[in-house]
Amino acid sequence: MTTRVFQTITASACEKLLSRCFSTSSGNVGASAAAVAKWPEHQLNIAHALKKSDERESFRYLSNQPVEALQGIGPKHAEELKSLNLKTVQQLADYKFFHLARAMTVLSTVEEEGGRLDNTLMNINKGLDKASEKKALKELIHQPVHILQGISPQAGETLASLGVKTVEDLANFKFCQWAESIVVAAKFEEEV
């Protein structure tokens, strides 16, 4: 009887060890082993963007995780992002102000100084405060983020605490960029 108990404990301990070696935080023990078997020579990884515990996860899984899955977002930054209603990687990827800031920053590179023709219709008035509507993109991207319609001065302060002070800073905010890239990559991911 003593031997049988010992064998059970040993088997259980062995199972736990294997689980630690091949499990992911989603609890999908077989997925990592299956991925190794299916794609043994794949080198793709985003180790510098994720916490160690999430490095084996799929892009799909990561999309639905809390922002803390991203390396560099600890409890303090997570709380600041939550105050902006950005709780998951998906929400960070979809942050409308990030998308507007990035569009403005990208388009500023093709803006010609004094090149607006008479009767031109293009504008982004729905995205800017009234005082900023007539400015050039090259000027707007260096303005504080609270010029974006819907970002309060308090939200601007929260973003500033994360290192985002200008529209251009928001366009280049690495956590939004990583989140968006994870969500896009998930659309092209083959399931194991």
Side-chain angles (χ1 to χ4, degrees):
M1 183 150 183
T2 316
T3 308
R4 185 170 264 160
V5 170
F6 181 72
Q7 287 174 338
T8 305
I9 293 169
T10 305
S12 175
C14 185
E15 220 170 75
K16 284 182 183 175
L17 179 62
L18 285 172
S19 164
R20 284 187 192 138
C21 290
F22 289 105
S23 75
T24 63
S25 56
S26 61
N28 193 351
V29 177
S32 291
V36 169
K38 189 170 183 175
W39 303 300
E41 296 179 11
H42 276 47
Q43 299 296 311
L44 183 148
N45 73 83
I46 57 170
H48 293 294
L50 298 173
K51 299 247 166 77
K52 276 283 181 219
S53 60
D54 289 314
E55 287 182 14
R56 285 194 175 106
E57 298 297 351
S58 69
F59 290 119
R60 282 191 182 100
Y61 175 83
L62 292 168
S63 296
N64 298 310
Q65 291 310 294
V67 293
E68 294 95 319
L70 300 177
Q71 196 173 105
I73 298 181
K76 182 179 182 244
H77 286 338
E79 280 305 311
E80 291 166 338
L81 289 168
K82 283 177 187 169
S83 76
L84 299 171
N85 203 28
L86 302 172
K87 299 171 189 154
T88 67
V89 171
Q90 180 75 56
Q91 288 172 330
L92 201 52
D94 294 338
Y95 190 43
K96 69 179 182 180
F97 298 113
F98 162 67
H99 289 278
L100 177 56
R102 191 183 55 202
M104 292 168 64
T105 301
V106 168
L107 293 173
S108 74
T109 65
V110 294
E111 183 177 59
E112 183 180 332
E113 190 175 331
R116 186 175 173 103
L117 302 175
D118 291 341
N119 301 320
T120 298
L121 300 176
M122 74 178 63
N123 68 80
I124 52 173
N125 293 350
K126 289 183 178 181
L128 299 173
D129 67 19
K130 216 49 159 162
S132 301
E133 290 176 357
K134 295 179 182 179
K135 295 180 181 177
L137 289 168
K138 288 180 180 177
E139 183 181 355
L140 289 169
I141 64 170
H142 300 292
Q143 299 299 309
V145 289
H146 64 78
I147 69 156
L148 300 178
Q149 196 174 99
I151 294 187
S152 67
Q154 182 182 359
E157 288 174 24
T158 300
L159 286 166
S161 72
L162 295 165
V164 176
K165 296 178 181 152
T166 67
V167 171
E168 187 174 33
D169 291 341
L170 182 53
N172 295 315
F173 189 44
K174 70 180 180 182
F175 299 118
C176 283
Q177 290 178 340
W178 293 350
E180 181 185 45
S181 298
I182 287 167
V183 169
V184 169
K187 295 174 185 174
F188 297 92
E189 189 166 60
E190 184 178 330
E191 289 190 46
V192 181

